[in-house]
Amino acid sequence: MLSAFKSLNLSRAAANFFSSRARKTSTLCSERRGLCVNPDRKYSGKRFNVPPSAEFVARVSGIPTMAKLPFQDSAAGLDAAFIGVPIDTGTSNRPGARFGPRQIRVESALLRAYNSGTRAAPYESLMVADIGDVNVNVYDLKDTCRRIREAYRKILATGCIPLTMGGDHTIAYPILQAVAEKHGPVGLVHVDAHADTSDVVLGEKIGHGTPFRRCVEEGLLDCKRVVQIGLRGSGYSPDSYEWSRAQGFRVVQVEECWFKSLAPLMSEVRAQMGSGPVYLSFDIDALDPGFAPGTGTPEIAGLTPIQGVEIIRGCRGLNLIGCDLVEVSPPYDTTGNTALTGANLLFEMLCVLPKVKYH
C-alpha cells in the first residue's frame, strides 16, 4: 500500500543506535531532562518512537523521513502516522505539489521533540511513525482517488490518526470518503484562501477546486460543524461563498482576520465543533504568499504564520480524527521556507491530537 520507503527498515536501526547512545549519555540525560533522546524511557508502560536529537545526530544525516521518525510500511500499532500523497494532477494553475511530501520531509529535519510554546510532548504519549506515500497514479486522477480511499480505509481500520502531506487539495475528497465510512459525517476546520466548493471546472467534477462540494453531495460532512477560515481573492461572482453559507458552513473571510489574534475565533470554533469527530484541512495558500510563495494558487493579503499556528493550537481539545497540509509546491520556493512552514504546521497538528501529553 505504502511504497515510498519499502526497502528501508529504520525502526530497528534507529532503536539499536539510540539504545547505544542512551547508555553513553545517561548522565547528560539526567542533567538536561527532556533534551536528550532515550528510547528506553517508558510512559504508561509503553515504548514510543522518539526522533533523534540534533544534539547527537547531525540533521543532514540519515534518510529524510518526517521529523526523522522511524519508517514502517503500515499503520499497525500506531496512534498517529505521517503519510504523503504526492499528486498535483488536480491543480488548475501552477503544478509541483507532487513534490510537496518529499520536500516537507527534508525540511522537517529541523523539528525537535517538544513544543516549546505549548509544552506538548507528543512523543511521550503517542506512537508515531512515517508510513511513506500512497502509490498514486500520476496519469489518472480518478484512479488516484480510488487508491487514496483504499489506503486510508486500511490506515483508519487500525485506529491510527493520519497526518497527511499533500499533494493538491483534491486528496481531501477521497480521504474524507474513508473517514466518513468509519466515523460518519464529520466536522471540518478548513483553512484556505479558496472555498474549494466549485461544481464543475473545465468539465471535470474532481479537482482541487471541488473536493468539499463532492463531500457535501455524498453526506460526508456535518455541515453545521464546518468552518472555512482565510477565504479571499477575486471571484467568479459577487459572492463567491454563497454556496458555502447556504449549506450551513461558517465562512470567515480573511478581512475578518486582519490585524488580530485568532484565539477568540478558535474559542467559537471549538464550541461549534463540540465533541463530535473533526477533520482539519490546511491549505498552505491560506498563508500570505509573502510567507509561503511555494504554492499553486497564491492569493495576496493572506493569513500570517502566527495566525496559522493560532488556528491549529486552537483545535486542542477537539476530537480530531485526521489532518492534512496540502498544496506545497517546492519548485516555486527555492528557499525551502514554504515546505519548512508546512513541516512546522504538521508538527503543531500532531501536538493537538487527543491524548497528547503536556508538561
Side-chain angles (χ1 to χ4, degrees):
M1 176 182 68
L2 305 172
S3 61
F5 305 102
K6 201 164 186 179
S7 63
L8 304 175
N9 186 355
L10 299 183
S11 298
R12 184 176 301 159
N16 290 339
F17 175 85
F18 287 109
S19 292
S20 173
R21 176 65 68 180
R23 288 191 294 271
K24 294 178 182 178
T25 60
S26 59
T27 301
L28 182 60
C29 285
S30 62
E31 293 175 352
R32 302 180 64 185
R33 184 177 179 272
L35 295 178
C36 180
V37 174
N38 182 350
D40 293 327
R41 289 182 299 175
K42 293 184 179 181
Y43 303 89
S44 302
K46 185 176 180 182
R47 183 170 176 162
F48 295 91
N49 293 331
V50 182
S53 171
E55 294 173 297
F56 309 111
V57 181
R59 291 191 174 99
V60 294
S61 66
I63 303 298
T65 57
M66 181 63 186
K68 297 181 81 73
L69 283 160
F71 164 77
Q72 66 180 58
D73 59 6
S74 80
L78 299 179
D79 300 305
F82 291 102
I83 175 174
V85 185
I87 69 160
D88 55 17
T89 324
T91 55
S92 59
N93 191 41
R94 306 194 305 199
R98 67 180 63 187
F99 303 114
R102 182 177 300 175
Q103 192 65 31
I104 289 169
R105 286 184 171 107
V106 169
E107 301 297 341
S108 75
L110 193 59
L111 295 174
R112 302 168 185 87
Y114 295 90
N115 189 317
S116 299
T118 65
R119 301 186 66 124
Y123 305 120
E124 291 186 11
S125 38
L126 301 179
M127 180 63 81
V128 189
D130 187 327
I131 59 172
D133 293 338
V134 175
N135 183 23
V136 300
N137 182 346
V138 295
Y139 298 108
D140 187 329
L141 185 57
K142 292 179 180 178
D143 183 52
T144 285
C145 287
R146 177 189 62 80
R147 291 169 181 236
I148 295 169
R149 184 169 57 251
E150 292 178 356
Y152 277 76
R153 282 172 177 159
K154 294 177 181 178
I155 294 168
L156 294 165
T158 69
C160 176
I161 299 175
L163 297 160
T164 303
M165 301 169 278
D168 73 59
H169 221 154
T170 308
I171 69 175
Y173 170 44
I175 292 173
L176 283 165
Q177 286 180 315
V179 165
E181 284 182 12
K182 179 176 178 65
H183 296 283
V186 298
L188 174 69
V189 178
H190 174 208
V191 190
D192 205 323
H194 312 97
D196 293 350
T197 55
S198 294
D199 185 18
V200 177
V201 178
L202 298 176
E204 296 294 330
K205 282 185 168 287
I206 297 177
H208 76 161
T210 67
F212 301 115
R213 171 80 70 128
R214 303 286 85 84
C215 288
V216 170
E217 290 173 346
E218 296 183 17
L220 311 181
L221 300 178
D222 180 355
C223 292
K224 292 182 180 179
R225 295 195 305 121
V226 175
V227 61
Q228 297 183 299
I229 304 171
L231 305 189
R232 65 187 188 277
S234 54
Y236 298 114
S237 65
D239 185 357
S240 298
Y241 317 119
E242 180 179 9
W243 189 89
S244 291
R245 294 189 182 98
Q247 311 315 305
F249 296 5
R250 179 176 181 182
V251 174
V252 182
Q253 293 182 228
V254 77
E255 289 82 359
E256 300 175 57
C257 303
W258 287 348
F259 313 117
K260 66 177 69 171
S261 168
L262 299 187
L265 167 65
M266 292 311 297
S267 178
E268 296 173 3
V269 169
R270 287 193 298 274
Q272 177 189 0
M273 296 297 147
S275 60
V278 177
Y279 187 84
L280 171 59
S281 187
F282 199 119
D283 189 325
I284 200 71
D285 72 22
L287 304 184
D288 187 88
F291 298 107
T295 192
T297 319
E299 305 284 358
I300 68 165
L303 302 176
T304 67
I306 293 171
Q307 290 174 314
V309 170
E310 284 185 311
I311 291 169
I312 297 172
R313 290 183 180 178
C315 291
R316 181 182 175 185
L318 296 181
N319 181 18
L320 288 172
I321 42 76
C323 308
D324 67 50
L325 188 288
V326 299
E327 298 284 359
V328 171
S329 179
Y332 288 93
D333 183 4
T334 56
T335 69
N337 285 343
T338 305
L340 176 64
T341 301
N344 277 271
L345 294 177
L346 282 158
F347 177 70
E348 293 285 345
M349 293 175 188
L350 174 65
C351 289
V352 296
L353 293 184
K355 300 182 180 180
V356 165
K357 175 181 177 180
Y358 284 76
H359 283 279

